[in-house]
Amino acid sequence: DSWNQLWEKELQELFEEMFPIRDYTGKQFELGFVSFKLEKPKYKSGDEAKENDDSFDASIRVRFSLKNLKTGAVEITTQNHGFAIYRQSLKKIKRSSYKITHMNLNDNTIEGIEYPEIKAFSIQHHPEAGPGPYDSRYIFKDFKELIEKSNA
């Protein structure tokens, strides 16, 4: 237990020292540290993991706040990239008026993109400030307005 407490204390201090992180311009987004949780390892020891031909590891879950510096809005998000859009990949697409709306400041992946000319947008993150989609209501509001304008 004292080992876990030491790890938790050291990680807390490390996160607090590292954050906030701003985008490369320093003007659009700021990623803040909110909290973390160390998960229990799958096995009780390294030897047990070896016996099962597995690794002895434990996940760490980290919650961040993403602040849009233009609007001042802050979102608490959970990042779990099973896939991602990298800015370089957009160069392969025929020129259009896409607009990046959300960026992950940890790995510089695109988490929100908008294509006004075809009336489409996409978000790739999990809002986590509270249960339900409350801190992302603006996304649903924008979607509803987009549908209503298209049907008009």
Side-chain angles (χ1 to χ4, degrees):
D1 279 337
S2 61
W3 186 83
N4 282 342
Q5 289 174 351
L6 175 66
W7 260 105
E8 288 179 9
K9 180 180 182 282
E10 294 295 324
L11 284 172
Q12 180 75 29
E13 289 175 4
L14 179 65
F15 282 128
E16 289 173 356
E17 183 180 314
M18 290 172 45
F19 288 89
I21 299 171
R22 288 189 173 217
D23 70 294
Y24 67 96
T25 68
K27 298 176 184 173
Q28 293 182 349
F29 298 99
E30 180 177 276
L31 189 67
F33 166 70
V34 176
S35 64
F36 76 94
K37 178 183 177 186
L38 286 172
E39 302 275 316
K40 297 256 185 232
K42 184 176 176 181
Y43 301 102
K44 292 179 183 174
S45 70
D47 290 335
E48 184 183 356
K50 266 186 185 175
E51 289 171 12
N52 289 288
D53 197 30
D54 206 349
S55 62
F56 182 64
D57 58 8
S59 295
I60 181 171
R61 307 259 182 223
V62 183
R63 291 177 61 190
F64 300 103
S65 62
L66 176 64
K67 182 176 184 179
N68 182 324
L69 298 175
K70 288 183 179 178
T71 65
V74 176
E75 295 177 54
I76 307 298
T77 65
T78 298
Q79 315 300 326
N80 64 348
H81 296 316
F83 57 91
I85 300 172
Y86 290 94
R87 189 183 302 260
Q88 310 88 280
S89 70
L90 296 173
K91 293 177 184 175
K92 297 176 184 177
I93 299 172
K94 183 180 133 189
R95 282 275 174 214
S96 70
S97 64
Y98 74 86
K99 177 181 167 189
I100 297 170
T101 59
H102 296 74
M103 290 283 298
N104 181 312
L105 300 179
N106 278 332
D107 59 12
N108 226 16
T109 54
I110 297 169
E111 293 205 359
I113 192 164
E114 178 181 340
Y115 285 88
E117 76 225 17
I118 60 171
K119 299 178 179 126
F121 66 89
S122 176
I123 300 295
Q124 178 189 312
H125 64 269
H126 301 281
E128 293 288 338
Y134 300 113
D135 52 336
S136 61
R137 280 189 175 163
Y138 74 95
I139 297 169
F140 294 99
K141 180 180 170 268
D142 291 350
F143 180 70
K144 181 181 175 192
E145 288 175 5
L146 185 65
I147 297 299
E148 288 171 348
K149 286 178 185 174
S150 295
N151 289 335

